[in-house]
Amino acid sequence: MAEETKDTKHTNYPSEEQEIDLIELAQKVWAERILICKVCGIAVLVGLVVAFSIPKEFATSVTLAPEGGGNGSSGGMGVSIAVTGINPGAISGEDALSPGLYPDIVSSTPFLIELFDVPVTDDQGKIRTTLYEYLIDYQRAPWWSAIIGFPFKVLGWGMSLFADTPEEGEGSVNPFRLTQKEAEVVKNLDSRIQVSVDKKTGVTTLTVVMQDPLISAVITDTVMARLQDYITEYRTNKARHDLAFIDKLYEEAKANYYEAQQKYARFLDSNQNIILQSFRAEQERLQNEMNLAYGAYNQVVQQQQIARAKVQEITPVYTVVQPATVPLKASKPRKALILIGFVFLAGAGTVGWILFIKDLIRNRQKQIKN
């Protein structure tokens, strides 16, 4: 029993010492409570200045549902097959562009350059310009960005005096060779457009962030429409080229058939009541040419129907689950989080100073004096 008592006392000793240490640390912090309150108060003021200095950003999102499993397409194709007698195996819809590539399409330089000329108007009606000019001339920035960027501007200005800078391009933008301003606008625009695709459901969400709510909604709707057009153009490109080629063959086959038919009819009209063998041979030859022309014409007509059905089949149909609407509240900056972050960092830094750094400095000073 005596040994157990000794072990128990030996085991509980560290925990008691630890409790005493925690109490001492709490007392140190409590003794400096006025300092902590002052620092946190200063942090609140700094946080308010920072929060209200950051320009507001408005986010608009749209949601596109994936295409159906092909109920609509297969129904239309069934009607075409029943009417024309086409072999179903002759038509194959290929999904040439998966939703996983949508973010890469939107962030590509040619796609972003096509947005430069989109006309935009701010919510108050004071700004009427293109998206390119809006991103260059009408973007607000916090006051400290001018202070931080001033040395770099001076450095760039000094370097430009000794370097041959290319002239700004006029007219259309060349994606192969962008100017400095155009490259900056492309980078800025890319950071403001986000596309996410749910791998399980295939739902695509497009979000555009701008400093004006109306411009944010307009650009979101424009990007969605351009993306739909791009996907439709890409997926139906080959099928439409095939259809155009078959249409050309159709016109040629039709003209050949009509010409052969007219030759046969004129020959019969000009050689009535003639029973010569040479007449019969020529009649048979012209009739065979007309039949061959009609066979080729009929075959091209069927191919034309197949090509049209294929274009219709592979044309994507989009369902907009959530359309673009003008946002009523700004998404950035989050003032409450900024304030909480500044107060937390100030409080944690002050407590760390009181418990650790302050004692280290005192001990260091004592060692120097000794």
Side-chain angles (χ1 to χ4, degrees):
M1 293 295 293
E3 293 179 357
E4 292 179 358
T5 304
K6 291 180 181 179
D7 294 339
T8 304
K9 290 181 179 180
H10 180 73
T11 304
N12 293 337
Y13 181 76
S15 61
E16 292 176 358
E17 184 179 358
Q18 185 177 5
E19 291 178 359
I20 293 173
D21 293 339
L22 292 176
I23 293 174
E24 290 179 357
L25 295 177
Q27 290 176 350
K28 287 183 179 181
V29 174
W30 179 253
E32 300 290 345
R33 61 186 181 276
I34 298 177
L35 176 62
I36 296 175
C37 292
K38 289 180 178 180
V39 174
C40 290
I42 295 173
V44 170
L45 295 178
V46 175
L48 288 174
V49 172
V50 171
F52 283 95
S53 298
I54 300 175
K56 292 183 178 180
E57 300 278 354
F58 297 87
T60 305
S61 297
V62 294
T63 304
L64 296 175
E67 292 183 72
N71 294 335
S73 299
S74 62
M77 293 299 296
V79 174
S80 299
I81 292 169
V83 173
T84 61
I86 300 170
N87 182 10
I91 302 176
S92 60
E94 297 179 358
D95 192 2
L97 200 62
S98 63
L101 293 176
Y102 294 174
D104 297 327
I105 295 173
V106 174
S107 62
S108 64
T109 300
F111 187 92
L112 296 175
I113 288 176
E114 291 180 358
L115 301 175
F116 282 4
D117 296 331
V118 175
V120 295
T121 304
D122 69 331
D123 195 27
Q124 298 178 353
K126 297 180 179 179
I127 301 175
R128 296 178 182 273
T129 182
T130 62
L131 180 61
Y132 178 79
E133 297 296 335
Y134 173 75
L135 293 177
I136 291 179
D137 300 329
Y138 297 96
Q139 293 300 289
R140 300 182 297 274
W143 52 268
W144 59 81
S145 62
I147 299 175
I148 297 174
F150 180 75
F152 298 98
K153 288 184 179 179
V154 173
L155 181 61
W157 176 77
M159 294 179 63
S160 64
L161 296 177
F162 302 96
D164 295 332
T165 57
E167 297 181 357
E168 294 292 333
E170 297 181 357
S172 60
V173 181
N174 183 9
F176 183 73
R177 190 171 186 176
L178 299 176
T179 63
Q180 183 65 30
K181 282 188 177 181
E182 292 168 351
E184 291 176 358
V185 173
V186 167
K187 184 178 179 181
N188 185 10
L189 191 56
D190 184 26
S191 65
R192 294 181 174 277
I193 302 176
Q194 302 292 331
V195 179
S196 60
V197 180
D198 192 332
K199 295 182 179 180
K200 294 183 179 179
T201 61
V203 174
T204 303
T205 303
L206 171 65
T207 304
V208 177
V209 179
M210 290 288 172
Q211 292 185 359
D212 184 84
L214 181 59
I215 294 177
S216 174
V218 170
I219 297 302
T220 303
D221 191 66
T222 303
V223 172
M224 179 186 66
R226 297 283 178 89
L227 178 61
Q228 292 176 346
D229 293 341
Y230 183 94
I231 297 168
T232 302
E233 178 77 14
Y234 184 93
R235 292 185 58 181
T236 61
N237 185 34
K238 185 178 184 304
R240 286 184 293 103
H241 278 78
D242 293 343
L243 177 60
F245 178 71
I246 293 176
D247 286 340
K248 183 179 179 180
L249 294 180
Y250 167 79
E251 295 298 331
E252 294 177 357
K254 181 180 178 181
N256 293 335
Y257 169 62
Y258 284 179
E259 183 180 358
Q261 191 179 41
Q262 289 296 327
K263 287 182 178 180
Y264 180 71
R266 285 195 298 267
F267 180 80
L268 292 180
D269 292 339
S270 60
N271 295 280
Q272 295 181 359
N273 301 323
I274 298 177
I275 59 174
L276 297 175
Q277 293 296 326
S278 59
F279 164 76
R280 293 182 178 179
E282 183 66 16
Q283 179 184 4
E284 185 177 356
R285 185 184 67 81
L286 293 175
Q287 186 175 7
N288 290 336
E289 288 183 357
M290 183 184 65
N291 292 335
L292 289 174
Y294 175 75
Y297 170 70
N298 186 38
Q299 186 177 5
V300 172
V301 169
Q302 292 184 3
Q303 292 177 354
Q304 187 183 45
Q305 292 174 342
I306 294 174
R308 288 178 178 175
K310 186 174 182 180
V311 172
Q312 179 64 29
E313 180 196 17
I314 65 177
T315 299
V317 179
Y318 305 95
T319 302
V320 180
V321 179
Q322 176 61 45
T325 56
V326 179
L328 301 177
K329 296 181 179 180
S331 60
K332 298 177 183 178
R334 298 182 179 180
K335 297 181 177 64
L337 291 179
I338 293 175
L339 287 177
I340 293 172
F342 270 90
V343 173
F344 174 79
L345 292 176
T350 306
V351 171
W353 164 266
I354 295 170
L355 296 180
F356 304 104
I357 301 176
K358 190 175 182 180
D359 291 338
L360 290 175
I361 294 175
R362 287 178 180 177
N363 295 333
R364 184 65 177 174
Q365 290 176 349
K366 289 179 180 180
Q367 291 177 0
I368 294 174
K369 290 180 180 180
N370 295 333

